Amino acid sequence: MPFAALAAATTPTAHIGLGLAAVGRPGYINLHRDRDLPADRDVDALRARTHELLDAAYAQGVRYIDTARSYGRAEEFLAEWLDARPSFTDLVVGSKWGYTYTADWGVEAEAHEVKDHSLATFERQYAETRALLGDRLSLYQVHSVTPDSPALSDKELLDRLAALAADGVTVGLSTSGPAQAEAIRAALAVTVDGEPLFRTVQATYNALETSAAPALAEAHDAGLTVIVKEGMANGRLAGEEAPAVFQEIAAGAGVGGDAVALALVLHQPWAGVVLSGAATVGQLSGNLHAAVVDLDDEQRARLDALVEEPEAYWRHRAGLPWH
C-alpha cells in the first residue's frame, strides 16, 4: 500500500495532502477563487502557481499529491515538477480517471468536464496519465463513482483494474453526491477472483456534509485508506464565508476557520489523508495549521449542529458557479 509510509509518519502534516483541482485549469467552483489566482490565467501562470504550491507543500511536510485527468493540465504541471526533483522519492502520487476536461482552457464553458466510466475511457486516460507521471503514479482512482457507475459492475473493466493492481498501482475510487454511502458500500463488495479490488476511497466529508461517515468507517475497518476531499465545502467553511462558530473557535485557537474545518476532519478516527485544495501558498500554510488544532467535545458538538441534509448540500454545490 502506498500510504504505509504516511501511516507511520510522525510529522502531523504528512496526513494532509495537496489536491490540484483548483490550480490546474483557469476555472473551478471554489468560492472567491477569482481573487486567488492571477488575472492572466495562461498556462505559464498556472504552471508557476502549481509549482510554487508543490514546493511549499513538500517543505512543510505534505507527502500526498492528488490530481486527475480532468484537472486541466494539473498532471502535466505535476510531472514537470517531479522530473526536476528526482530526489523526492517519499511522495505518494494519486490521480483519477473517468472525467475528460472539455473547457479548452476557458472559464466560461458549456461543460467543463464529461464523465464516462467505460473501459475505453480508462484505457485512453491511463495511457495519458502514464505518459506524464510514469512510475511515480502510486494510486489510480475511478473519479466520482455513484451507485450506478459501471466501475462497480462492468466485469471487463473490473478485470482490467485488477490487472493494474497486479502491476503495482493501487486502485481506488472517489465518490460524490448524496448517495456516497451507498456507492462506498457497493465498492467494498467488489471483488475480482475473490480479492477486494478497491484499496482506497476518496469522499466528501465536512461539517456540513457528514452522511458518508458510517460507510467511511466501514471502509477503514475493511483496510482501505480513506482520503477526504472538500473538507472546507468548496470555501463555504473558510474566511468570511465561515459560520460564526468556526470564526469563534478559530479566533480562540489563533488560526483561520479553514484550519478548524480541516481539524474537524482530521479528528475522525477513519480519516487517513485530508486534502487541502489551496490555490495560494498562504492558504496552504493556513490549512496546514489544522494538524495542531485541538477541538474539545463542546466545540465539536457545536460544529456538529451545522450539518445539512445531503440532498440540500449537493444541490447547493451543483449551483456554485465556475470562477
Side-chain angles (χ1 to χ4, degrees):
M1 281 291 293
F3 291 96
L6 302 190
T10 56
T11 304
T13 50
H15 297 278
I16 300 177
L18 176 63
L20 301 181
V23 290
R25 54 195 166 182
Y28 193 52
I29 62 173
N30 283 353
L31 299 182
H32 305 309
R33 184 173 176 276
D34 49 330
R35 308 175 189 170
D36 298 333
L37 295 179
D40 182 5
R41 299 184 194 177
D42 63 14
V43 174
D44 287 341
L46 290 194
R47 175 186 289 111
R49 176 61 61 86
T50 301
H51 291 180
E52 181 185 20
L53 278 165
L54 288 165
D55 281 335
Y58 190 85
Q60 295 177 81
V62 172
R63 291 296 181 267
Y64 175 66
I65 308 299
D66 190 88
T67 186
R69 286 302 306 147
S70 61
Y71 294 171
R73 299 176 73 160
E75 279 189 340
E76 174 188 330
F77 298 161
L78 174 58
E80 294 166 342
W81 183 81
L82 288 169
D83 288 345
R85 295 157 180 82
S87 64
F88 288 10
T89 58
D90 55 346
L91 276 167
V92 178
V93 174
S95 192
K96 297 182 284 292
W97 71 274
Y99 271 109
T100 298
Y101 178 64
T102 57
D104 194 27
W105 207 255
V107 176
E108 302 295 335
E110 185 174 338
H112 288 260
E113 49 195 18
V114 175
K115 184 177 178 180
D116 180 8
H117 287 168
S118 68
L119 176 60
T121 294
F122 166 77
E123 296 289 9
R124 171 175 59 83
Q125 294 197 314
Y126 178 61
E128 293 166 345
T129 297
R130 268 297 193 192
L132 289 168
L133 295 174
D135 292 338
R136 301 301 294 268
L137 180 69
S138 304
L139 167 66
Y140 212 40
Q141 304 158 94
V142 190
H143 203 164
S144 196
V145 171
T146 51
D148 59 349
S149 170
L152 298 173
S153 59
D154 184 327
K155 184 179 185 308
E156 193 174 3
L157 173 60
L158 295 176
D159 286 344
R160 181 64 183 89
L161 293 174
L164 179 65
D167 285 340
V169 177
T170 297
V171 173
L173 74 154
S174 75
T175 62
S176 60
Q180 286 190 111
E182 183 182 348
I184 293 164
R185 291 187 172 111
L188 292 177
V190 173
T191 60
V192 176
D193 295 331
E195 292 295 323
L197 176 62
F198 299 109
R199 304 309 306 160
T200 72
V201 58
Q202 181 176 144
T204 295
Y205 177 91
N206 55 59
L208 305 179
E209 182 12 352
T210 63
S211 63
L216 291 173
E218 293 167 26
H220 175 268
D221 291 345
L224 279 71
T225 296
V226 174
I227 306 168
V228 178
K229 60 185 173 76
E230 300 181 347
M232 286 177 285
N234 299 104
R236 294 176 63 192
L237 301 177
E240 62 201 43
E241 302 291 337
V245 61
F246 269 89
Q247 298 184 36
E248 181 183 328
I249 294 172
V255 298
D258 57 325
V260 174
L262 295 185
L264 180 66
V265 184
L266 286 168
H267 276 73
Q268 306 309 312
W270 39 259
V273 177
V274 179
L275 295 180
S276 161
T280 72
V281 169
Q283 288 176 351
L284 175 64
S285 296
N287 292 174
L288 295 179
H289 282 112
V292 294
V293 172
D294 235 349
L295 297 173
D296 61 32
D297 290 343
E298 185 268 340
Q299 290 170 327
R300 292 174 69 174
R302 294 175 65 196
L303 295 174
D304 287 344
L306 299 173
V307 173
E308 299 177 354
E309 289 296 322
E311 291 78 8
Y313 175 88
W314 288 99
R315 188 164 53 249
H316 186 283
R317 185 188 183 281
L320 294 175
W322 289 73
H323 294 286

